[in-house]
Amino acid sequence: MSGATGANGARRKPIVAGNWKMNYGPTEGREFAESILGDLIAIPQVESVLCPPAITLTAVHAVTDGAVKLGAQNMYFEARGAYTGEISPTMLQGLCTYVILGHSERRGYFGETDELVNRKAKAAFEYGLRPIVCVGERLEDRDANLTERFITTQVKGSLGGLPAERLSELVVAYEPIWAIGTGRAATAQDAADVVSLIRAQLAELYGAEVVAGVRVQYGGSVTSANIAEFAANPAIDGALVGGASLTPDFVAIVQCVAEVKG
Ligand code: PEP
């Protein structure tokens, strides 16, 4: 298996997730998934994850049928009840392996706090879903040399109190907000520095041995043109891809990760 070494010498399998955001309804989503499915299955060295909108999950699941894993883009932490418009963890069971939590668009547009993201992450584990938890600083934080403080606060606030024995199911996405959808990716070195910081903070919470099995992705304007430099860095276990995941470039990204990490 390709990838960096984790706990007990086990390899961390590279993971590339495509966040479709609010794009592709059921028909378009099914057609697009069908068009890339065979190519993704042919790259088993990398775990590919498609994250369509909630309303599209069932249609894409009918096509992928477990051959490529799916993720939701969000969920609420309660299992059921009077929460109009929300999706519960139990509704995702059987459809999704992963759920993206705390994406900066959720934090920024919908007021999600570290505390809420943490409750959702705990619920994901409780209901057998694997959280992909996003953290990342704003440009003003980076310019003011506050990246470390900002990331530390987010990691401690969003990722505390999780079941340590299942931490290898956790994925963390380092997504600097200024790099998302802007065409201005971080440098691989800057990304790797923050990924190392995230690991160090997690190690304070859970111990270094447990944390060695956690995968940490980079996200922010990743395309097939720049993925190689991120994949070449052993600290970075893959990518969370937005815009480029809506096109066949997603397959090229997965292929490149397989080649570079192979
Ligand atoms: C994202 O939405 O998580 C993301 C990284 O978007 P983009 O790749 O378009 O920057």
Side-chain angles (χ1 to χ4, degrees), residues 19 21 103 105 175 179-182 219-222 240-244:
N19 175 13
K21 309 196 189 197
H103 190 282
E105 287 152 17
E175 297 212 307
I180 297 179
T182 59
S221 296
V222 167
L240 180 55
V241 185

Side-chain angles (χ1 to χ4, degrees), residues 7 9 23-24 48 65 79 90-91 93 95 97 102 109 122 128-129 133 151 161-162 187 192 208 213 229:
N23 298 288
Y24 292 162
S48 302
D65 197 23
T90 53
M91 293 170 185
Q93 285 172 326
L95 279 177
T97 306
Y109 297 138
K122 288 174 178 165
L129 298 161
V133 177
I151 297 291
L162 304 179
T187 66
E229 56 177 312

Side-chain angles (χ1 to χ4, degrees), residues 186-222:
T187 66
Q189 191 54 55
D190 283 347
D193 288 347
V194 179
V195 168
S196 299
L197 171 68
I198 291 168
R199 282 195 186 287
Q201 295 304 328
L202 283 173
E204 278 188 23
L205 294 173
Y206 298 101
E209 197 179 331
V210 169
V211 170
V214 176
R215 291 175 295 178
V216 186
Q217 306 169 302
Y218 167 74
S221 296
V222 167

Side-chain angles (χ1 to χ4, degrees), residues 4-190:
T5 304
N8 306 321
R11 305 284 276 171
R12 293 195 303 267
K13 185 169 183 172
I15 178 168
V16 178
N19 175 13
W20 294 5
K21 309 196 189 197
M22 201 173 69
N23 298 288
Y24 292 162
T27 305
E28 287 171 305
R30 191 195 65 236
E31 286 169 4
F32 176 60
E34 248 165 359
S35 74
I36 60 172
L37 182 63
D39 290 336
L40 293 178
I41 291 171
I43 315 170
Q45 313 91 298
V46 175
E47 189 170 9
S48 302
V49 184
L50 304 180
C51 304
I55 198 166
T56 302
L57 277 168
T58 306
V60 174
H61 187 261
V63 169
T64 53
D65 197 23
V68 165
K69 295 197 176 79
L70 301 187
Q73 297 176 16
N74 180 34
M75 66 169 202
Y76 197 52
F77 56 80
E78 295 285 3
R80 64 189 60 77
Y83 303 102
T84 302
E86 291 295 318
I87 307 284
S88 85
T90 53
M91 293 170 185
L92 299 176
Q93 285 172 326
L95 279 177
C96 292
T97 306
Y98 290 93
V99 56
I100 300 172
L101 298 174
H103 190 282
S104 63
E105 287 152 17
R106 301 285 330 159
R107 292 175 186 265
Y109 297 138
F110 304 103
E112 294 205 5
T113 60
D114 289 335
E115 188 193 358
L116 179 61
V117 174
N118 186 238
R119 290 189 79 169
K120 292 180 176 195
K122 288 174 178 165
F125 277 106
E126 187 181 341
Y127 291 99
L129 298 161
R130 298 177 177 201
I132 300 174
V133 177
C134 304
V135 297
E137 81 285 1
R138 300 167 303 177
L139 190 56
E140 51 265 46
D141 302 312
R142 176 158 285 266
D143 287 346
N145 283 326
L146 292 174
T147 301
E148 184 168 341
R149 190 193 297 178
F150 193 91
I151 297 291
T152 300
T153 302
Q154 279 195 330
V155 169
K156 294 213 159 131
S158 306
L159 294 169
L162 304 179
E165 70 286 358
R166 290 175 53 203
L167 221 63
S168 62
E169 295 169 33
L170 171 69
V171 178
V172 181
Y174 168 52
E175 297 212 307
I177 296 172
W178 45 270
I180 297 179
T182 59
R184 177 189 166 188
T187 66
Q189 191 54 55
D190 283 347

